[in-house]
Amino acid sequence: MSVLDTPVTTTATAPAPPTAGLTAIFVRLKLNLLRNGLRQSSGRTAAFVVSLVLALLLAAGQVLGLLLLRGDAQAGTVAVLLTGIVALGWAVLPLFFPSGDDTLDPTRLVMLPLRPEPLVRALLVSSMVGIGPLFTLCLVLGSVLALAHGPAGVLFAVVAVPLTMLLCVALSRAIATANVRLLNSRKGRDLAVLSGLVIAVGFQFVNFGAQRLGQAGGLSALEPAANVARWLPGASAIAAVDAASDGSYGVAALQLLITAAALVALMWWWQRGLVKLMTAPDGSTLAASAPTRKDKEKEKKESGRTGLSGLLPEGRTGTVVQRSLRYVARDPKTKAAWVTALAIGAIVPLFNALQGTGSVYFACFAAGMLGMQMYNQFGQDTSAFWMVALTISSTRDAYVELRARALALLLITLPFTVAVCLVTAAVLGDWQAVPGALGISFAVLGAMLAIGAVASALFPYSIPQEGAFKNVAPGQGALAWISILSGMLAAPVLAAPVIVLTVWLHLADHHAALWLMIPAGALYGVFLGWAGLRIAAPRTANRLPEILTAVSKG
């Protein structure tokens, strides 16, 4: 038997799976990216340090407050509700700040040979690195320290802390993965722009809740809400510590099981979302299908003068009104400004009315907020204003342009102002003040339109499209403040005749004549708006080069 005939035995060494040690790699990657990002600029480093210090101070204050509640009958109520609110924040914030953590964007990993199971584990652990997880950990630790009593309570606390942390992070990442394509689209950018509105409205609800809590006489008013939150996954693990400390071991085990089951379900949903994201094609990789007969009929129908376009006059006025309304519906910055004005304009009078401290005349605040949208009309067009400028060759063209923009604003503002006034009156039961409030609102709205038109011509400024919180181009902040302050100071002065007449009718006890303030305020507001447009039109036509330069700066 020759050497060639001797069978050769080879030992095949299985290659190491590419996902071995993936979790440690992702954690190191997160730390390296964080460190390298801070090295890019001193401003970024300062912002990170300030955010970290503020988060730690807030967390320390909450932990101290929870420790002071230890042994109190309402400690469980406060701890459960706080944990539930934090869990809700983990679920909501990724929708409004999709770019807050680019290192965990799953679309960046599509081309890598990674399997879903180890990828989910690696992303879950690496998501624990950051200011948000540190703040949540401090809050959860403070909650269990305030509630844990006896060996059973401590045992449940040891399990509840990591379980709650994992649930919060998994909830955040699962929701972000399921909506990643939405968040990277224009609608996702709209959500980011509207985050400021959510924060503002949230503060109003917190203020309202705090006042109601003070009127109710203590933390006991929160017990009904806490009893519901105890059985929700975000807070049930903390509630289990409270139940175990009281000796309710069956209830504690069930509440802990709810959180564990929710974590398993979230992990499954997250993994399924990752698989779909990495294997399913999106709209950018699919060829456009030929339009069907139904699509052609729909396009033909939309091209005709139907709906609102059929009600508007033909020519420049109808075109400008439709363009302005499309800006409101489609442009993120314009949409954010309008939604913020609508929300705050309704919240201020209605919340004061619900608290019993308001007045129907607070509804005038809605007219003032919406009237501010007339300011910086040309800045809303940004660099596209040059196409509008090409169509303005005379004072008449400028007047029609401004008048149409004011008409588009009134289509939204007038019915909203009337609705806020009527709802506020219904809440307060004070229908007698409605005529005076509407008359003043119409006058204030006309004054804001007049001043806004003039300010748009004299103090235009650019609105940067990048950045959710950048509303003025660098170097133009003074122009923006002049424009805004002029309206805040001059509008009450211009509307003074209607305001004085309304006050006199009240003081003279001529309540039956207050109904005359509705047509009087409307006519006076129309006069103010007309006068403002007449003053602004020649200045707009004569300053087109300066306006175009100012609005294109950003």
Side-chain angles (χ1 to χ4, degrees), residues 91-100 183 188-196 198 468-469:
V92 172
L93 287 181
L95 298 178
F96 295 101
F97 298 94
S99 60
L183 298 177
R189 291 192 293 271
D190 292 350
L191 287 174
V193 171
L194 294 176
S195 59
V198 174
F469 304 102

Side-chain angles (χ1 to χ4, degrees), residues 53-69 78 82 135 138-139 142-143:
V53 171
L54 291 178
L56 290 176
L57 290 176
L58 181 59
Q62 289 186 334
V63 171
L64 179 60
L66 289 168
L67 291 177
L68 292 176
L69 285 174
V78 175
L82 279 178
F135 174 81
C138 294
L139 178 63
S143 298

Side-chain angles (χ1 to χ4, degrees), residues 3-4 68 97 129 136 153 170 199 207 243 283 299 323 362 383 449 452:
V3 177
L4 296 177
L68 292 176
F97 298 94
V129 179
T136 305
I199 295 173
N207 181 37
E299 182 179 356
R323 184 185 69 216
F362 281 12
S383 58
L449 292 178

Side-chain angles (χ1 to χ4, degrees), residues 10-26:
T10 59
T11 303
T13 304
T19 55
L22 188 62
T23 301
I25 293 175
F26 267 62

Side-chain angles (χ1 to χ4, degrees), residues 287-354:
S289 59
T292 62
R293 182 178 178 181
K294 180 183 283 188
D295 294 334
K296 293 180 179 179
E297 292 177 354
K298 183 179 179 181
E299 182 179 356
K300 183 178 180 180
K301 183 179 179 180
E302 290 179 349
S303 62
R305 290 180 55 79
T306 59
L308 179 62
S309 61
L311 301 176
L312 295 174
E314 296 184 3
R316 187 187 193 104
T317 298
T319 302
V320 174
V321 169
Q322 293 187 68
R323 184 185 69 216
S324 299
L325 294 178
R326 285 196 178 99
Y327 277 160
V328 175
R330 299 179 181 179
D331 180 64
K333 290 294 181 71
T334 306
K335 181 189 297 185
W338 269 98
V339 174
T340 302
L342 290 169
I344 298 179
I347 286 174
V348 170
L350 292 179
F351 269 42
N352 281 279
L354 290 172

